[in-house]
Amino acid sequence: MCTPSRSQFITGKYQIHTGLQHSIIRPTQPNCLPLDNVTLPQKLKEVGYSTHMVGKWHLGFYRRECMPTQRGFDTFFGSLLGSGDYYTHFKCDSPGICGYDLYENDNAAWDHDNGIYSTQMYTQKVQQILASHNPRKPIFLYIAYQAVHSPLQAPGKYFEHYRSINNINRRRYAAMLACLDEAINNVTLALKKYGYYDNSIIIYSSDNGGQPMAGGSNWPLRGSKGTYWEGGIRAVGFVHSPLLKNKGSVCKELVHITDWFPTLITLAEGQIDEDIQLDGYDIWETISEGRRSPRVDILHNIDPIYTKAKNGSWAAGYGIWNTAIQSAIRVNHWKLLTGNPGYSDWVPPQAFSNVGPNRWHNERVSWSAGKTVWLFNITADPYERVDLSAKYPDVVKQLLRRLSQFNKTAVPVRYPPKDPRSNPKLNGGVWGPWFKEDEKKKKSDKSKGANKQKKNKNKKKANRKKGQSLHCRSRLAGG
């Protein structure tokens, strides 16, 4: 889903190595992509690239240092949160906790509050950037469209071709996608018009699979967004460029979202520091020339705080792995899932009628067996219909060992409780950074003063208190 995918794209690291392996960054959480991670735009700036971001950030904003312009982008125009109204750019996180979420660089973009549909508004911004930049100088443009995330909204004219779709969510989704298709075309035309196209690479991808309850479809793949089934993790993507050697080809090699980081830096003739422990690989020759991928495995995720599977145990994991923990890994043709895998149905298109969640097709999965381990040959069975875990226990053990190896390198999960200071009412009606540096200094000064007073009364006790205060400051400073 949103946050972990974007974090992997921008750092080239699995989410277990950034602490973002559980859920998403919520608007009210004091959390963001850890500041000690070098980002893709920062590396591209080192080799002379102008870097621009348009669209959805969703990598945290509680401190100014977390904002896109502080993480390597020369300019930013878009939203900080994961979703919001496509026209008003307002978002309510819970009743009464609502705010405006459209930014230009580090400030709320009230001037752009003209009721323009975000897909079209972002495209206009991209056109302006391309028109004002010198095409002979390198540019990196990250366009993270809001579409086709809920809420399902689209301008009326895009519904015309989809009147035959009975399901209203599916019809809205189709209209949103038609508008997005037009946007991609308009960006491509701008690249041609302003002289970039012949030396450009366009990468199109998604952060996750579709949400069948909100118009999406992953059929015939299993599961949905937010799950480790192929329907949640296998995304549509393409690379379009005059620089490709093999055009019009389909790549069936293992490719992961972390691979864009080293691939793009290498293409830009940048340097990847040896001390950055990347999980991504340079896959340009795989895409451009049809060579084998350097990648042999993908850690889809290990989420140690997701709801544990009731029947999971170390015994079920052969003493290698606790199968109560939600995880998934791919090694060559094999894929292993453990724990509670989430929504596991196969949902054919048009499976939902307009009246409630009732189905026209019903293919629900029974959990009576209490399973916590699954093994699939994804090359032979991409739809995950034939569980082979009982047939190939040695393969299961091999993949569990690989999971365990990855888990030893994991950093603690970053998922702090909500902070009441995040309320937009305290910030001029805008979602934005609320953690102020001067507050941090005042707090530490206060605690120093308190320690001084107590020191006169009880030296031993004061020393212990001082240690706690310093620990608190260092944690805060670490973000």
Side-chain angles (χ1 to χ4, degrees), residues 11 32 85 99 103 107 155 165-167 176 179 184 188 194 210 224 292 326 383 418 433 435 457 463 478:
T11 65
C32 73
D85 191 283
Y103 268 74
N107 300 302
I165 299 177
N166 289 320
N167 181 285
M176 293 168 80
C179 184
I184 302 299
T188 310
Y194 298 115
S224 69
R292 295 300 303 271
Q326 188 194 51
Y383 314 134
K418 63 169 66 175
F435 187 90
K457 292 180 182 178
N463 284 335

Side-chain angles (χ1 to χ4, degrees), residues 371-390:
K371 283 184 64 61
T372 56
V373 179
W374 294 261
L375 178 71
F376 300 97
N377 182 327
I378 293 296
T379 307
D381 176 28
Y383 314 134
E384 296 170 297
R385 290 184 174 274
V386 184
D387 174 25
L388 299 169
S389 59

